[in-house]
Amino acid sequence: MEQLMRDTLLFLSKNRAANKAAKKYGLRFGANRFVAGETIESAIRAVRELNKQGIVATLDHLGEFVYSKEEAIESADYCIKTLDAIHQSKVKSNLSLKMTQLGLDISKDLCMDNMRRILDRAKEYGNFVRIDMEDYAHNEITMDIFKELRREYGATVGLVIQAYLYKAEADIDDLNQFKPNLRLVKGAYKESPEVAFPNKEDVDRNFIKIIEKHLLYGNYAAIATHDEKVIEHVKKFVKEHNIPNSQFEFQMLYGIRVQLQQQLAKEGYTMRVYVPYGNDWYGYFMRRLAERPANVGFVVKSMFKR
């Protein structure tokens, strides 16, 4: 039953009509647990509160349904405004973004033009931009774009690798030539067993494998997980191999495992929280529900609260 619920939520996450309908309700029916408001101002406030707790952030202006050049340019403008707001407010945060929101499905050239505008601003401020990895259909072209931009912008740009894909370990090996800053995740999209491990145990095993390999290569690892077993394994592994805390960080999602976030920060680890904001929050929110269908009950209760 839980798997059926998860599959349904993932299907709905890509449904345009449901996305449009959800926006009419706004964040009030539960999404504000996972999304830091619809404006840059609300996002900066959320980051400032995290910074007070010794936690850093990465801001993401949500947007996945982009159908025109104008929308893609507008989305890139928001990314630049986000970098401006980070710089002006002096909060400790970098930026995450998706290639599709910058027009990748319209044309690669459009997407690259937008990325260069964003990276120019990030480089000016001495900030960092992470390219999020999306579904498998966008995987290879996103890898190609990252390599091209890494050659142009160096350490200003980073990428995400998803452990549920069979190709993840080979990608870690391939990208080692760039000594990249990678966010390592399990993966949140519904994929075919032809390209992704169907069993959770295999994903978990591969996740540990790519974390260890990337760290042993001497590269910076952003370990994105709420799994305490993985966190404890990493703590033990870095001590055994004399890997400094400055070579990795833990990452979690806004609104999830808040006490654990605070605990890790107090223990002296770099703890970064992924803080999404914006009015195009629907797809992101549905994927968070799919990861833990029990949250659906929380949302239903929220809808009926006055």
Side-chain angles (χ1 to χ4, degrees):
M1 182 65 187
E2 186 171 299
Q3 188 58 48
L4 177 62
M5 176 77 81
R6 185 173 285 115
D7 291 346
T8 301
L9 290 164
L10 287 172
F11 170 77
L12 287 171
S13 74
K14 296 183 178 181
N15 186 281
R16 295 183 193 181
N19 179 31
K20 191 174 180 182
K23 283 185 181 178
K24 291 181 181 178
Y25 285 94
L27 291 165
R28 67 179 180 273
F29 72 96
N32 56 2
R33 175 176 174 176
F34 306 111
V35 179
E38 297 188 349
T39 66
I40 293 175
E41 291 76 20
S42 62
I44 292 294
R45 281 196 298 273
V47 173
R48 191 171 280 119
E49 287 305 308
L50 289 168
N51 288 173
K52 286 178 184 176
Q53 300 164 40
I55 297 169
V56 292
T58 183
L59 277 169
D60 180 10
H61 180 252
L62 296 171
E64 299 174 54
F65 297 89
V66 170
Y67 306 112
S68 70
K69 180 179 177 181
E70 290 71 27
E71 286 176 315
I73 290 170
E74 183 182 4
S75 190
D77 289 343
Y78 262 103
C79 290
I80 291 168
K81 286 176 188 173
T82 304
L83 287 168
D84 291 343
I86 292 168
H87 180 71
Q88 289 158 11
S89 64
K90 295 181 171 59
V91 295
K92 293 177 182 175
S93 178
N94 52 40
L95 177 73
S96 286
L97 47 73
K98 289 180 173 62
M99 297 290 88
T100 54
Q101 78 186 103
L102 301 180
L104 181 58
D105 288 340
I106 300 164
S107 91
K108 183 185 173 185
D109 287 344
L110 172 63
C111 180
M112 292 296 284
D113 287 346
N114 283 327
M115 272 303 299
R116 288 188 178 103
R117 287 201 297 131
I118 294 164
L119 289 172
D120 284 342
R121 189 64 59 92
K123 197 161 192 176
E124 177 188 336
Y125 291 147
N127 210 326
F128 173 81
V129 176
R130 174 92 59 193
I131 298 173
D132 281 338
M133 192 61 79
E134 301 177 69
D135 60 0
Y136 186 75
H138 295 95
N139 183 279
E140 279 301 324
I141 192 166
T142 302
M143 292 280 292
D144 291 342
I145 286 171
F146 169 71
K147 290 175 183 177
E148 193 172 337
L149 293 172
R150 186 67 172 73
R151 291 185 184 103
E152 291 179 37
Y153 290 92
T156 302
V157 63
L159 187 65
V160 175
I161 296 293
Q162 300 157 314
Y164 70 170
L165 296 181
Y166 300 136
K167 71 195 288 289
E169 187 180 0
D171 287 341
I172 293 284
D173 291 335
D174 179 37
L175 293 174
N176 184 47
Q177 61 183 299
F178 297 104
K179 299 297 175 188
N181 176 331
L182 298 178
R183 178 195 292 146
L184 307 175
V185 305
K186 290 184 182 180
Y189 292 84
K190 173 75 173 171
E191 301 291 1
S192 162
E194 291 181 7
V195 300
F197 293 103
N199 298 321
K200 180 182 181 299
E201 296 79 14
D202 293 325
V203 176
D204 291 350
R205 196 176 301 114
N206 202 43
F207 189 38
I208 292 293
K209 185 189 281 187
I210 65 171
I211 290 169
E212 292 182 353
K213 176 167 270 201
H214 191 58
L215 285 170
L216 289 175
Y217 273 146
N219 300 325
Y220 193 88
I223 300 156
T225 184
H226 306 101
D227 187 333
E228 288 187 67
K229 288 181 181 177
V230 173
I231 291 167
E232 290 306 314
H233 180 91
V234 170
K235 287 180 181 179
K236 187 179 175 184
F237 182 81
V238 296
K239 283 178 183 172
E240 287 174 354
H241 294 271
N242 296 313
I243 294 167
N245 286 4
S246 58
Q247 197 191 315
F248 70 95
E249 64 187 47
F250 292 112
Q251 293 195 355
M252 295 187 194
L253 300 172
Y254 182 73
I256 300 178
R257 303 303 305 271
V258 173
Q259 288 183 319
L260 182 55
Q261 293 172 14
Q262 294 168 351
Q263 179 189 323
L264 287 167
K266 285 176 183 173
E267 289 175 9
Y269 295 101
T270 300
M271 179 69 239
R272 188 178 301 276
V273 171
Y274 181 94
V275 181
Y277 81 95
N279 61 6
D280 200 3
W281 48 266
Y282 171 78
Y284 173 86
F285 177 51
M286 296 303 283
R287 287 196 297 279
R288 296 295 74 77
L289 293 183
E291 286 174 353
R292 191 167 182 268
N295 283 328
V296 173
F298 158 80
V299 171
V300 172
K301 288 177 187 175
S302 298
M303 288 177 73
F304 290 99
K305 280 183 182 176
R306 290 185 181 273

